[in-house]
């Protein structure tokens, strides 16, 4: 009887069979006289169940020479194996031919009843001459040189097939072996699992030490309980969760690096033992906890029994890892949202600049009469129209496509406040915490018109009092005058103007103008370059006369109107001390002068934004209109007064005569006149 279990898939279970054999080597063309018989005494203890190797080599080699001489090379030759009747009766169902240095399978006549056949540790290159053994259950061809699975189509009863340590490159020709229970193909050159889906009774499959890079195509192996895939090149596993009876899976020494590549194992309800040792994943700190958390049904991991304490710890660690993963995912989403938002703001900025360029071009083409007409109407022509202006159809559709994404972004990263898009300036109206606002030392503006930035600089000074470094990128800094607006701030140590979107940096002297206009800040760096004393001297030489001329040409009332409160104090101080000797000025005045900081000449170099300028124009327009109406009313009133005066001059002579006549007539009778007057007085009371 053949044992019911085949746990030793290497086939060595058959090596303990003791039997005596007669091995007859002959060619199919040689006569009976060429037969050579070798008898092996079954009582010999040193070689149980085997042929004497040295006799076999000597006699087989000498007879092989006769074969070469007698038989043409075109005719194949096989050793023919025959056993005595007693041996057949004693070992009727098994035959062991291991370590016989066989290069071919011998012809086995009269052994159709064999159930166990062992050819391990030979040099056989092809499976043949066993098709007549249709009752064979156990076939061991371990450690040979077989390159292809073949010659097994008639062995429908075969249940154990051991082909380990051969040269097989492909699983094939197993279609008729539907009763197969154990299939051992370890130590071959197989690169793909295939042609095994019909083996519904297969319980053990050994594919260790092959060239597999992935595991799949396992559907149909409904009885498989053990799968050995050690020492391959496997990077991911699929379909294992479709094996309803799988209990043991060996994946040691492969290239599995992430749990996601074997996540299907978590869906298996039958798997109890698994190994991952020797894989990159086994070196990770989260390895054991992740496996235990996702595969609660496991009893053994890497050949070690799992305790309840390990499961509890795995659950705790897994929760922490899940929290980290969620946080990481959240950060990834925020980064992606930030990227999309910045891209959207950038595209909106580009569309706006494209529209501005088109409008400016169209404006240049207008004739002077149209310009005069516009000026007479009191309207102003701006190179920066409102967002509600018309766009061509292509730009309109592009903007509509971006409407689903945020159009501005506010980000606080450490000590840096980054603002993208004009809508981000509204953040200055938020209620920032004292701690957050105090930490911000750098403010970055991107894709925002500088004129819009200039309007919120006073808020910036209040909300973020410690801001020392300003960055401008794509802000349309186009002229030196715009730097005047930065004088509103409390302090600026560093200034960074990105050349992208700021044409002003193309001016050779822009840095010197910044140093001159903002000299009261004692700036340390401009665009990452240290400011030297020579730079300050050069800035004063270049632009000092400009500030003097600008301030000297302005009337006193106009000069005071454009200065702030602190600058007004300084200006009054200069007027009061003008002409006095230096020694007369007291300490209090000196302190006041130092606190003012900014030179009055420089203060006259201010900047008016387009919107503020437009507001001023509207205000001036309203004032002109009011003055015109007031003057018209005065002229009208004066005209009426003059007309009345002329009429009076014409009527006065006649009126004077009548007045004299009436007076003479009334006082002609004095008593009557007095009574009349008294009566009038009495009536009035």
């Amino acid at each position: 009887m053949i044992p019911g279990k085949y746990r030793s898939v290497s086939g060595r279970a058959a090596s303990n069979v003791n039997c005596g054999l007669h091995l007859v080597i002959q060619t199919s063309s040689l006569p009976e006289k060429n037969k050579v018989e070798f008898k092996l005494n079954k009582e010999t203890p040193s070689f149980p169940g085997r042929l004497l190797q040295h006799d076999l080599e000597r006699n087989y080699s000498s007879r092989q020479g006769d074969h070469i001489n007698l038989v043409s090379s075109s005719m194949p030759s096989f050793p023919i194996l025959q056993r005595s009747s007693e041996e057949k009766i004693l070992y009727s169902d098994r035959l062991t031919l291991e370590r016989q240095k066989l290069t071919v399978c011998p012809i086995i006549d009269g052994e159709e009843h064999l159930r166990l056949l062992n050819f391990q540790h030979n040099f056989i290159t092809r499976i043949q001459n066993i098709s007549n053994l249709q009752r064979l259950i156990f076939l061991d061809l371990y450690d040979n040189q077989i390159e292809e699975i073949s010659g097994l189509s008639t062995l429908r009863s075969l249940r154990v097939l051991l082909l380990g340590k051969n040269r097989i490159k492909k699983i094939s020709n197993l279609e008729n072996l539907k009763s197969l229970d154990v299939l051992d193909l370890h130590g071959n050159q197989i690169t793909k699992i295939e042609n095994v889906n019909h083996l519904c009774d297969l319980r053990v499959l050994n594919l260790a030490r092959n060239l597999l890079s992935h595991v799949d195509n396992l559907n149909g192996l409904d009885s498989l309980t053990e799968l050995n895939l050690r020492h391959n090149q496997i990077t991911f596993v699929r379909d294992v969760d479709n094996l309803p009876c799988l209990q043991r899976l060996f994946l040691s020494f492969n290239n599995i690096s992430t749990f996601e590549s074997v996540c299907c194992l978590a869906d298996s309800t039958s798997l109890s033992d698994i190994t991952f040792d020797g894989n990159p994943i086994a070196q990770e700190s989260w390895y054991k906890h992740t496996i235990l958390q996702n595969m609660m049904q496991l009893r053994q991991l890497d050949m070690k029994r799992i305790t309840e304490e390990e499961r509890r710890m795995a659950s705790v660690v897994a929760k922490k890892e899940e929290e980290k993963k969620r946080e990481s995912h959240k950060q990834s989403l925020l980064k992606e949202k930030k990227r999309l938002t910045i891209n959207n703001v950038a595209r909106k900025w580009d569309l706006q600049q494209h529209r501005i360029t088109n409008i400016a071009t169209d404006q240049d083409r207008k004739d002077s009469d149209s310009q005069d007409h516009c000026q007479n109407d009191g309207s102003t022509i701006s190179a920066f129209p409102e967002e509600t202006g018309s766009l061509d159809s292509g730009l309109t559709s592009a903007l509509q496509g971006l409407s689903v994404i945020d159009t501005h972004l506010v980000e606080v990263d450490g000590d840096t406040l980054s603002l993208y898009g004009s809508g981000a300036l509204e953040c200055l109206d938020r209620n920032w915490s004292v701690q957050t606002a105090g930490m911000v030392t750098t403010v970055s503006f991107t894709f925002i018109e500088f004129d819009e930035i200039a309007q919120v600089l006073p808020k910036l000074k209040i909300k973020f009092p410690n801001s020392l470094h300003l960055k401008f990128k794509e802000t349309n800094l186009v002229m030196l005058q715009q730097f005047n607006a930065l004088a509103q701030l409390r302090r600026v140590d560093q200034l960074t103007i990105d050349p992208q979107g700021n044409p002003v940096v193309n001016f050779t002297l822009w840095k010197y103008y910044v140093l001159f206009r903002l000299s009261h800040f004692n700036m340390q760096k401009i665009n990452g370059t240290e400011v030297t004393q020579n730079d300050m001297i050069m800035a004063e030489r270049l632009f000092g006369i400009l500030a003097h001329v600008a301030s000297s040409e302005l009337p006193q009332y106009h000069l005071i109107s454009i200065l702030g409160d602190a600058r007004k104090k300084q200006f009054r101080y200069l007027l009061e001390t003008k002409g006095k000797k230096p020694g007369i000025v007291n300490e209090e005045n000196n302190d006041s002068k130092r606190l003012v900081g900014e030179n009055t000449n420089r203060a006259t170099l201010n900047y008016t934004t387009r919107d503020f300028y437009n507001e001023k124009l509207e205000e001036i327009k309203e004032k002109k209109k009011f003055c015109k109406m007031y003057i018209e009313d005065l002229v009208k009133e004066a005209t009426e007064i003059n007309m009345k005066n002329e009429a009076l001059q014409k009527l006065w002579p006649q009126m004077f005569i009548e007045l004299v006549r009436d007076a003479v007539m009334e006082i002609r009778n004095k008593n009557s006149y007095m009574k009349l007057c008294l009566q009038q007085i009495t009536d009035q009371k």
Side-chain angles (χ1 to χ4, degrees), residues 449-451 454 457 475-487 504 513 606-607 610:
E449 287 286 347
F450 183 83
D451 283 4
L457 289 178
T475 56
N476 265 346
L477 273 166
V478 296
M479 54 186 174
L480 299 178
Q481 186 183 4
Q482 289 173 300
F483 290 116
N484 299 341
L486 299 180
V504 72
Y513 183 80
N606 60 352
Y607 175 61
R610 292 185 305 275

Side-chain angles (χ1 to χ4, degrees), residues 329-350:
H329 181 65
K330 180 181 178 181
Q331 294 300 325
S332 298
L333 290 178
L334 290 176
K335 288 181 180 179
E336 182 64 15
K337 183 178 180 180
K338 174 184 175 182
R339 186 187 67 82
L340 292 175
T341 302
I342 292 176
N343 288 344
N344 181 58
V345 173
R347 285 190 285 184
K348 185 178 180 181
W349 174 265
D350 290 340

Side-chain angles (χ1 to χ4, degrees), residues 621-656:
K621 179 181 177 182
E622 292 295 328
K623 288 181 178 180
K624 286 182 178 179
K625 183 177 180 181
F626 173 78
C627 292
K628 181 178 179 181
M629 293 175 62
Y630 183 71
I631 295 298
E632 288 177 353
D633 291 341
L634 290 177
V635 170
K636 183 178 179 182
E637 184 178 355
T639 302
E640 291 178 354
I641 292 173
N642 184 59
M643 291 175 64
K644 290 179 181 180
N645 185 45
E646 291 179 353
L648 179 62
Q649 294 296 329
K650 292 179 180 180
L651 296 174
W652 177 247
Q654 184 62 31
M655 290 175 62
F656 182 76

Side-chain angles (χ1 to χ4, degrees), residues 262-278:
V262 294
C263 60
C264 65
L265 301 178
D267 299 326
S268 175
T269 58
S270 59
L271 197 60
S272 61
D273 298 348
I274 194 169
T275 64
F276 285 109
D277 54 301

